Amino acid sequence: MRNEGAALEASDRAKEFARAVAPVAEAMGVPVPEIIAAEAPEIMEDLPPDEMAARVADLMKSKDGRHGLFVRNSAIIAWDEEAEDFAEMKPTRLRTWLPRMRGVVFVRKRVPQKDNEGNNTGRFMTIKGALNRDLAQCVLDSDVLKTSLPKITAFHPVRLPVIQDGEMKLLKAGYDQASGIYTHSGIEFDENLPFEDGAHHLYRCFRTYGWRNEGRDMAIHLAAMLSVFCRGLYTGKAPAFAYVANIQSSGKTTLAWCGPWAVFGRRKTLPLLQDQDARLQETLNSLALAGVGSTVFDNINWGNAEVKSELLDQWISNEEWDFRKLQGNVMLSPKLTGVTFMTGNNIKLSTDLQRRTLICDLWNPLAAADRPRDASMLLMDSAFFESKEQRAMMLASMWAVVKEWDRSGRVAWGRELDSFEVWSRVVPGIVKHAGAVFGRVWDCMAENTNENVGDKSSRDYKRLAEVAMTEFGRDEHGAMRDTFEVTVQQLAGVARRHAIEECQFALYPEKDIESVLDTEHKANGWRYEEPKSFVLGDEAAEGERRRQAAQWLTPTSRSKFGNAVKAALNERHFKVGDAALFMWLHRAGVTPARYAVTLVKAKA
């Protein structure tokens, strides 16, 4: 009996030693022996808050994230099976999560065991306890726990590509210490699908949509999908993607779903309401804190007003989102990595929003229900989106074209989008490479030629500058001069003669030449001035009348049009032809008002 008691006492001492060295072994990444793993996770329930936090931190810290507790955007998170995503750890959940997931035993006390004769056996009976809610909250709020946990920078619900040590690969399921990305094996897909098969599948899925320009608009859609799939291949942000159609039932929402559905398995949308910045702020704060990978603002309808939101501008281009947590003084700055989508019919975007957005333009003469069906069409309905096989095939197809782009040397497209330079070196090149299978140029960076969508105002004033440079910037031999001047009156003439709509608004009510001519015999109306140095024939005189009328400005239109032109053109660069670049600079204090136009970059 004495030998047995001594052996038990030695065993208990070994277990106490195991409890002491287990945190050290885990911190070093050394496998913990079975006896230690089984016995180490015991915590006395009456520990003070600081000791309790330190004990939990010792049990949970690991560089490889093996214990399942992480930090994301300053919040402690753990996997939620029901949501198939990470959720913030709450005090009530921590009380049951630690015993169930980490095997922690909270000990109230240990009672010495006695033999039949009432003598101590050297063994103790453990009375289980529990972590109370207040102490659990203290543990979650403690710096010692947060600093000991691995940090998640992004969550990938499926295996997605990254580049590590110069090599492109699909991340394995689990936590990747090098990138901070956690990958969930939500769905398996064919990682060896041939490039041609992948490219043809993507083309088959989307070729029948009403692209106004397939080479541009379908390319933008593929870029939108790949921006979500390839999120691990570029730093910084991706531009937003807007699906704009001429009528309802054009497939805008279906197309906007494709990328988020393939990667995240969801088809969620949000409204974007006019004059609702406070509501939008709350929504974006929540999305930022949750680390969402995509946001779809669906069916935007602001009437004839342009879609304009400084919050949305910041959401698209910023890499961090600063805000104050509700009911507290804590400032948070979560990282933003998600891709933003918008849909709407004939929507117009503000200048700042369009600069951050690639517009995918759809045009259909008939609604979807009235269009004839091609037997080879792939119907993207609810059954399609609910099919795991279809989702797996979409993922396999995107990986096939990305992998082939990598094998071919990762060739960039060549042009870069301001604020999204790193994205520009990745996604547009992949899209272009995929189009080569069909002998086509898929250019997601091409300019939109549809003047009825997007930022019409900026496009019209750009056209005003381009036409004015062509008309007033050439010498007697037809060559562009390096420097010249254009008056505001001449710009008014260009706007009226070429019916540049947005510019005409600033000249209203005399928006066109006929409107000016109608004022000729009215008080303060336009007056024709005969040339003093020569006499014109009837035809030439009529041409001179129209030229003068086109350039006429009232004091009101001079101020309104002049301010509009200054806001749109001053200190801006505009091209003549493909490469000759000129800077426009307003000349202060000069009458009549004018602009100096100077060559910045000569045509190659």
Side-chain angles (χ1 to χ4, degrees), residues 207-222:
R207 68 178 179 81
T208 57
Y209 280 84
W211 311 112
R212 189 177 292 269
N213 179 344
E214 179 184 291
R216 174 190 178 275
D217 298 309
M218 189 168 72
I220 289 176
H221 169 62
L222 295 176

Side-chain angles (χ1 to χ4, degrees), residues 469 480 574-582 599-604:
M469 288 190 294
M480 288 297 300
F574 298 95
K575 288 183 179 180
V576 173
D578 295 331
L581 194 66
F582 287 82
L599 179 68
V600 175
K601 178 183 176 184
K603 187 172 181 179

Side-chain angles (χ1 to χ4, degrees), residues 304 348 456-457 460-461 495-496 499-512 556-557 560-561 564:
N304 292 323
K348 298 178 181 179
K456 179 172 174 54
S457 178
D460 278 1
Y461 277 99
R496 287 178 173 129
I500 302 178
E501 186 176 350
E502 290 293 320
C503 306
Q504 289 178 304
F505 288 155
L507 295 167
Y508 188 83
E510 297 84 22
K511 63 185 182 66
D512 52 32
T556 299
S557 63
K560 185 179 178 182
F561 180 71

Side-chain angles (χ1 to χ4, degrees), residues 202 206 211 214-231 233-234 237-243 255-256 258-260 263 293 338-341 357-360 398 401-402 413 417 423-435 442-446:
L202 293 173
F206 307 116
W211 311 112
E214 179 184 291
R216 174 190 178 275
D217 298 309
M218 189 168 72
I220 289 176
H221 169 62
L222 295 176
M225 293 183 61
L226 288 164
S227 294
V228 182
F229 182 78
C230 298
R231 193 60 191 86
L233 298 182
Y234 59 91
K237 297 295 293 297
F241 296 91
Y243 292 84
L255 291 166
C258 287
V263 173
V339 182
T340 302
F341 299 81
T357 305
L358 295 180
I359 298 177
C360 187
M398 287 192 286
V401 299
V402 171
W413 182 218
L417 196 60
W423 172 90
S424 301
R425 298 169 201 148
V426 177
V427 175
I430 299 173
V431 174
K432 178 186 177 184
H433 196 74
W442 285 352
D443 183 5
C444 66
M445 304 287 273

Side-chain angles (χ1 to χ4, degrees), residues 492-499 507 510-513 516 549-552:
V494 171
R496 287 178 173 129
R497 283 186 281 104
H498 293 272
L507 295 167
E510 297 84 22
K511 63 185 182 66
D512 52 32
I513 295 175
V516 175
Q551 296 187 8
W552 182 69

